[in-house]
Amino acid sequence: MQQLEALLREASDLAEGVIAPSAAEAEVERVMKICNACRYCEGFCAVFPAMTRRLEFAQADIHYLANLCHNCGACLHACQYAPPHEFAVNIPQAMAKVRGQTYSDFAWPSSLGTLYRNNGLTVALALAAGLALFLMMALAKNGTLFHAPLAGDFYAIFPHNLLVSMFGPVFLFVAVALGLGVAKFWRGISAGDPNAAAIAETAHDVLKLKYLDGGHGQGCPNADDASTLARRRFHHLTFYGFMLCFAATSVATIYHYVFGWAAPYALTSLPVMLGTLGGIGLLIGPAGLLWLNVRRHAQHGDAAQKPMDRGFIALLLLTSATGLALLAGRDTAAMALLLAAHLGAVMALFLTMPYGKFAHGIFRTAALLKWAIEKRAPNPVGVGSE
């Protein structure tokens, strides 16, 4: 009889469009209710003041709070109800599991998100190697894999229009996939209408990585309770390294299409200097994040996501390492080989962006924007503080 009643409730929920919470979502709801009664960690990050504006936690609230969490770990180390207490409150781990779920739930198409989440490192390396090998085989067939030095003229190997036809559709696909995913997430969390003040605050918090300071400015705690700003600094090196590489590509595009200045560019030119600095940042930052990922305590996150995390880090490292190697060897007979390896890594990085760790930056920005909007509205429950 109880089984029949459960089936009838499930059928009724499906008819009304209600989706039963996953185990990860149910755990976030459980620990949030405990935290809402305690509120010791209210000043640590945006999650806890956002929590106090709710008495119940619907699925949309759980998705929002999970992506608002920066997984700094400070609340775990401060919590009197953390394991081995019978309440077993572990906010970083519970939130991390739901975040990983949202990456695939809101991905487009969702099947690719599930594939990458379960096999991130394998997919990342296999894709990069496969694309690079394909390009190398194409060059070998044309007899251009090894050649006389070409003074860094990449277009003598892969013509400009060919590169545009190869990477243009990839960039368009990434933009569409990420756009559809974050739009679905934004609608789901009912974020409201942003204003200039909320947008400015969000931009400040994102660019500064405000909530990786541990709530006290000293950074994220390690397994031994010691706080460090290493995670924040390695994130900064990664983010701004990526942005410098993007700026280098943008400047080179302007040079080509606006001024008619074709590559190769001198080592002292703006695109090369920006790309070199960005490549160095993308080498140091991801290497540091990988080091922290390997050493981090198991209770600080979701161990099941490590392949996805490391897959993204591996592609960043491959992209930066092959790019710097290409710059160093662009005047040698191995330029075509180095170029094929670099293009394979770059294409693999972009193809996996909507489904891996890169997406967390987009979703977290959306969550921060919602927080900046709702904190300016009256508290609907009339208790707590911002």
Side-chain angles (χ1 to χ4, degrees):
M1 188 65 181
Q2 290 179 343
Q3 291 179 337
L4 178 60
E5 290 177 352
L7 288 172
L8 289 173
R9 283 196 302 270
E10 183 177 348
S12 175
D13 286 346
L14 289 173
E16 296 175 5
V18 178
I19 301 175
S22 65
E25 291 166 343
E27 176 62 9
V28 169
E29 181 181 17
R30 182 187 76 86
V31 297
M32 280 286 94
K33 287 182 176 179
I34 295 172
C35 292
N36 218 359
C38 174
R39 301 196 178 185
Y40 179 80
C41 299
E42 193 171 336
F44 279 3
C45 71
V47 169
F48 297 99
M51 171 196 73
T52 65
R53 302 175 71 89
R54 292 158 174 81
L55 298 178
E56 299 291 334
F57 300 92
Q59 189 178 56
D61 297 319
I62 292 168
H63 291 170
Y64 159 52
L65 293 173
N67 282 280
L68 191 59
C69 171
H70 284 56
N71 198 26
C72 78
C75 59
L76 174 65
H77 288 253
C79 183
Q80 59 186 318
Y81 302 119
H85 191 279
E86 60 181 328
F87 288 175
V89 173
N90 187 335
I91 295 296
Q93 188 172 83
M95 295 295 194
K97 290 181 178 180
V98 171
R99 271 198 308 279
Q101 177 186 317
T102 61
Y103 300 156
S104 55
D105 286 352
F106 293 101
W108 181 86
S110 59
S111 57
L112 292 180
T114 303
L115 173 66
Y116 192 70
R117 184 179 67 175
N118 296 335
N119 308 278
L121 183 59
T122 302
V123 170
L125 295 178
L127 186 59
L131 289 169
L133 183 60
F134 172 79
L135 294 174
M136 291 175 189
M137 290 173 64
L139 292 175
K141 184 178 180 180
N142 291 332
T144 54
L145 185 58
F146 294 99
H147 50 78
L150 297 170
D153 186 4
F154 304 147
Y155 297 149
I157 306 299
F158 292 108
H160 177 267
N161 290 339
L162 176 61
L163 290 176
V164 171
S165 67
M166 288 168 55
F167 282 89
V170 172
F171 294 154
L172 180 62
F173 170 77
V174 170
V176 170
L178 282 172
L180 290 174
V182 75
K184 183 179 178 182
F185 175 73
W186 187 258
R187 290 193 302 269
I189 63 175
S190 304
D193 298 321
N195 54 42
I199 292 172
E201 179 180 328
T202 302
H204 170 271
D205 292 349
V206 169
L207 295 175
K208 190 179 178 182
L209 292 176
K210 174 181 176 180
Y211 295 111
L212 283 182
D213 68 353
H216 41 55
Q218 297 175 16
C220 306
N222 291 319
D224 61 358
D225 260 351
S227 296
T228 173
L229 288 167
R231 188 159 166 257
R232 187 183 193 182
R233 287 166 179 161
F234 286 135
H235 269 90
H236 269 139
L237 283 166
T238 302
F239 175 75
Y240 287 108
F242 182 87
M243 295 306 295
L244 284 170
C245 289
F246 181 77
T249 303
S250 301
V251 171
T253 301
I254 294 171
Y255 277 12
H256 185 91
Y257 287 105
V258 177
F259 299 110
W261 300 340
Y265 303 113
L267 294 176
T268 55
S269 65
L270 186 57
V272 174
M273 289 192 295
L274 289 173
T276 301
L277 290 174
I280 294 171
L282 273 181
L283 204 57
I284 299 173
L289 291 175
L290 180 60
W291 175 65
L292 292 175
N293 183 277
V294 170
R295 296 177 67 250
R296 207 161 194 220
H297 195 281
Q299 290 189 349
H300 282 184
D302 179 16
Q305 291 182 43
K306 284 189 179 292
M308 179 182 68
D309 295 345
R310 293 174 184 177
F312 180 55
I313 292 172
L315 286 177
L316 288 173
L317 285 170
L318 278 174
T319 299
S320 56
T322 56
L324 292 172
L326 176 60
L327 178 63
R330 69 177 190 168
D331 292 328
T332 70
M335 185 186 73
L337 182 68
L338 295 170
L339 180 59
H342 181 59
L343 293 178
V346 171
M347 188 172 286
L349 173 65
F350 276 88
L351 283 171
T352 57
M353 272 184 177
Y355 311 107
K357 197 65 174 181
F358 181 86
H360 89 290
I362 309 297
F363 283 36
R364 184 163 289 155
T365 299
L368 284 168
L369 181 56
K370 175 179 171 63
W371 167 237
I373 294 170
E374 77 171 10
K375 70 185 288 188
R376 288 170 167 79
N379 191 330
V381 299
V383 295
S385 64
E386 274 70 61

